[in-house]
Amino acid sequence: MTPQDQLKQKVAQAAIAHVVPDTIIGVGTGSTANFFIDELAKIKGTIEGAVASSEATAQRLKAHGIPVFDLNSVAEISVYIDGADEADPSLHLVKGGGGALTREKIVLAVAKKFVCIADDSKKVAVLGKFPLPIEVIPMARSYVAREIFKRFGGEPVLRDGFTTDNGNVILDVHGLKITDPVAMENELNGIVGVVTNGLFAVRKADVFLCGTANGVETITA
Ligand code: 5RP
């Protein structure tokens, strides 16, 4: 295991303390979330089950024998646990490196609490070094790219050969300096053809479990 994977595993282990017994929890997508699913499997008897933020996560949960619920049959999720591509000091995030941003945002919307798990390479002063993923209806791809360039000046690049679980495409926007993530999240979502964008700022993380060489740091905004 690489040193970075070891940090991911440590935060995944620390996240188990945030799992609420006898409830349904939300589970994110990506390599850190995968470590969390593997830890969750060890205590699967203590929860009712999980709602998955992607097909890949649903498959991994099921492979571990963890019951997976359709979100439409669930009124409340106690806690949503997921990774991130970037986190700023206020716990605004960039997510969607794995392309699951829309389902992640939907599952999060139903959750009472958001625990973000990541290694310390994801900590930044200002969001935007990681290209911001935007899920777009395929026919709107060129229009949305032009609008983004006009309004924000970034460089939108189509994620090659990638289709989301919802049948859409992703534009990764390079070169943004995101000083007002809430305003940018709202404005991007107002462009016709955008399904959602990878800024998790309107609804940000409540807790950030950050893996460092000195152990897991618990950060709250
Ligand atoms: C997927 C995500 C992931 O949480 C994000 O990309 C981080 O992934 P990893 O844990 O593999 O670094 O938003 O859509």
Side-chain angles (χ1 to χ4, degrees):
M1 206 186 291
T2 66
Q4 194 183 16
D5 280 347
Q6 282 170 0
L7 296 185
K8 290 179 185 185
Q9 191 179 47
K10 288 274 181 249
V11 292
Q13 286 163 348
I16 291 297
H18 293 265
V19 171
V20 184
D22 303 319
T23 66
I24 295 172
I25 70 163
V27 181
T29 298
S31 57
T32 317
N34 282 345
F35 280 113
F36 172 69
I37 294 167
D38 297 346
E39 295 301 320
L40 187 64
K42 299 174 189 168
I43 58 145
K44 63 183 177 188
T46 69
I47 57 164
E48 236 182 278
V51 173
S53 61
S54 65
E55 298 298 340
T57 288
Q59 266 180 26
R60 197 175 186 99
L61 288 163
K62 285 179 191 164
H64 279 301
I66 298 168
V68 176
F69 289 84
D70 182 315
L71 185 62
N72 290 308
S73 67
V74 170
E76 193 175 284
I77 291 172
S78 57
V79 60
Y80 178 65
I81 298 175
D82 195 0
D85 299 301
E86 283 187 341
D88 78 8
S90 302
L91 305 193
H92 301 127
L93 310 175
V94 166
K95 290 184 45 53
L101 60 162
T102 300
R103 293 190 186 196
E104 291 172 343
K105 220 176 251 196
I106 294 169
V107 178
L108 172 60
V110 183
K112 283 180 158 171
K113 181 177 169 190
F114 179 10
V115 176
C116 178
I117 51 175
D119 65 85
D120 57 2
S121 70
K122 309 294 181 72
K123 243 171 138 178
V124 296
V126 178
L127 302 174
K129 196 162 176 220
F130 188 91
L132 179 65
I134 318 252
E135 180 163 352
V136 178
I137 302 285
M139 72 171 287
R141 163 170 66 87
S142 299
Y143 166 71
V144 170
R146 286 194 300 274
E147 280 300 302
I148 289 171
F149 179 70
K150 214 160 55 184
R151 296 180 194 209
F152 304 102
E155 190 203 344
V157 176
L158 179 68
R159 197 177 292 185
D160 213 18
F162 185 84
T163 305
T164 70
D165 284 348
N166 314 308
N168 298 313
V169 296
I170 299 270
L171 292 173
D172 291 304
V173 188
H174 296 248
L176 293 173
K177 195 172 169 205
I178 306 172
T179 50
D180 188 345
V182 172
M184 189 179 280
E185 180 177 357
N186 285 329
E187 188 172 348
L188 280 167
N189 283 344
I191 299 173
V192 174
V194 169
V195 178
T196 200
N197 68 82
L199 279 168
F200 285 55
V202 173
R203 178 78 193 274
K204 58 185 190 164
D206 299 301
V207 180
F208 176 23
L209 300 177
C210 180
T212 77
N214 300 320
V216 176
E217 210 184 317
T218 300
I219 303 168
T220 49

